[in-house]
Amino acid sequence: MTGFIVRRVLTSILVVILTSIFVFVLFFKGLGDSPARNYCEKLGPGKCTAQKLDSIKQQMGFDKSVAYNYGVWAKGVFVGRDNVYVDGKLYKCPAPCLGISINTQNTVWSELKQKYPATITLAVGGASIYLVLGVLLGALAARWRGTAADRVLVGSTLIVSAIPFYLVALLAWIYLSLQLKIFPTTGYYPITQNPGKTISWMMLPWLVIGLTNCTSYARFTRGQMVETLNEDYIRTAMSKGVKTNRVLFKHALRAAIVPVITIFGLDFATLLAGTIFTERIFDIDGIGKWSLDALSTPIDLQVISAGVLVSSVLIVVANLLVDIFYSFLDPRVSVA
């Protein structure tokens, strides 16, 4: 078991390093001299001369190799950088240095810390709803398998799955917030300051995420439970007169929930990394909206690259935790 965990940790570290190299090359060198040109063009019409562009390239280090630039950037993540060129000025970027935003001139790390509470609050609330609701609907469908109620539940999940998420979110915002005024229109309130207000403002986004994502969990849980209900020990318990609900929720659901939790771990990391549409529609100031706003002119590559990198790290860490958790539940995984 210990060897398996060590191998998975080392593999995850390697994946993070390769991801950081990919992100760096893609956003800083794969686009030619565009980062330097972005800064140069911000000087104003007619001021971005060839000499000025060359000067900015030298100050940003674009006259040196990719390996050198990546080394400087990677070192800055751990020890910081003293001279980061932004908009004609040099800034100090303390560790962990992910760069300086071209639009705000703040360190990307400081902005990242401000945005993540909203994204985490959104993801935790939505994920909790779709996990609980999906497992409950799946268990009930398995309990009533073959009946009209089973067909209605499964059919409903298929219909909801066929509707694009952004359309559900947009319609919910228009009708439930703007017209009927059941929920606040937009925004986010920090949970540390007023939990009640946070719940009120986030309830509609949570419900949209929960209802649209619970469908796959319902079908998966139903399939797992139907398979488990055909096991010999379940039939034995039923033949001994154990109550149906006790067999269903204590024995069958316990056996079926393990793969569901495994999928949930991966989905949650993906949700943390991909709440762009939700945050944009409901005007929640989180990582997704922050990254999307960075695409405006001039493109803030420091912010975009940091958002992609941190999201990738979250997914790698979630995979690692899921593998370790699963290895404790099923030791055969660590042997394979």
Side-chain angles (χ1 to χ4, degrees):
M1 183 70 72
T2 303
F4 170 76
I5 295 175
V6 170
R7 287 197 303 274
R8 286 294 293 116
V9 170
L10 292 176
T11 303
S12 299
I13 293 174
L14 178 61
V15 171
V16 169
I17 293 174
L18 292 176
T19 303
S20 69
I21 294 174
F22 174 76
V23 171
F24 183 84
V25 173
L26 180 66
F27 287 102
F28 288 85
K29 299 300 286 186
L31 299 176
D33 64 353
S34 59
R37 188 171 295 280
N38 281 340
Y39 290 110
C40 186
E41 290 176 349
K42 280 198 69 180
L43 298 175
K47 295 184 178 179
C48 183
T49 61
Q51 292 78 10
K52 189 63 181 178
L53 181 60
D54 289 339
S55 174
I56 292 176
K57 284 182 180 178
Q58 289 179 1
Q59 292 188 63
M60 296 183 72
F62 278 91
D63 58 332
K64 298 182 173 63
S65 66
V66 177
Y68 174 84
N69 278 283
Y70 176 76
V72 171
W73 177 85
K75 182 180 178 182
V77 173
F78 296 99
V79 301
R81 283 183 283 168
D82 291 331
N83 297 305
V84 180
Y85 180 87
V86 178
D87 205 12
K89 300 178 183 177
L90 293 175
Y91 291 83
K92 185 174 182 179
C93 181
C97 177
L98 296 175
I100 303 291
S101 169
I102 187 175
N103 291 323
T104 64
Q105 283 77 52
N106 295 321
T107 63
V108 173
W109 179 250
S110 65
E111 293 192 0
L112 194 68
K113 288 193 298 182
Q114 294 175 3
K115 307 297 180 183
Y116 243 101
T119 299
I120 292 176
T121 304
L122 177 65
V124 169
S128 300
I129 291 176
Y130 70 63
L131 176 64
V132 173
L133 190 59
V135 170
L136 178 62
L137 291 177
L140 291 175
R143 169 70 177 83
W144 299 323
R145 64 187 183 283
T147 66
D150 178 26
R151 288 191 285 272
V152 169
L153 282 174
V154 175
S156 300
T157 62
L158 291 173
I159 293 173
V160 174
S161 299
I163 305 174
F165 169 78
Y166 65 88
L167 182 59
V168 176
L170 194 58
L171 291 175
W173 177 67
I174 291 174
Y175 285 99
L176 300 179
S177 292
L178 290 183
Q179 293 195 359
L180 300 178
K181 301 187 184 304
I182 297 175
F183 299 96
T185 308
T186 55
Y188 163 74
Y189 202 86
I191 195 169
T192 53
Q193 298 180 18
N194 190 332
K197 201 169 184 178
T198 302
I199 293 173
S200 173
W201 284 28
M202 299 291 282
M203 183 55 69
L204 185 56
W206 284 345
L207 288 174
V208 170
I209 292 175
L211 293 176
T212 52
N213 288 279
C214 77
T215 55
S216 57
Y217 283 83
R219 293 196 299 274
F220 188 71
T221 302
R222 180 190 178 280
Q224 290 292 315
M225 288 199 63
V226 168
E227 184 178 335
T228 305
L229 288 172
N230 291 324
E231 296 287 342
D232 291 340
Y233 73 97
I234 295 293
R235 287 199 294 266
T236 301
M238 298 286 283
S239 65
K240 287 183 176 180
V242 179
K243 292 183 178 179
T244 302
N245 286 338
R246 182 180 177 84
V247 173
L248 183 71
F249 291 105
K250 184 174 181 180
H251 301 290
L253 183 58
R254 180 183 294 179
I257 200 70
V258 175
V260 176
I261 295 298
T262 304
I263 295 174
F264 174 74
L266 302 177
D267 278 355
F268 181 69
T270 306
L271 181 63
L272 272 176
T275 57
I276 292 178
F277 287 121
T278 312
E279 292 180 2
R280 189 63 175 176
I281 291 174
F282 294 102
D283 196 25
I284 297 171
D285 197 16
I287 294 296
K289 184 175 180 294
W290 180 59
S291 300
L292 201 60
D293 290 343
L295 291 173
S296 59
T297 305
I299 298 175
D300 203 332
L301 291 172
Q302 306 282 355
V303 169
I304 296 173
S305 60
V308 173
L309 179 62
V310 172
S311 299
S312 303
V313 170
L314 281 175
I315 293 175
V316 171
V317 171
N319 274 283
L320 173 64
L321 295 177
V322 167
D323 283 351
I324 294 175
F325 174 70
Y326 203 83
S327 68
F328 279 104
L329 295 176
D330 187 355
R332 293 174 297 178
V333 175
S334 61
V335 178

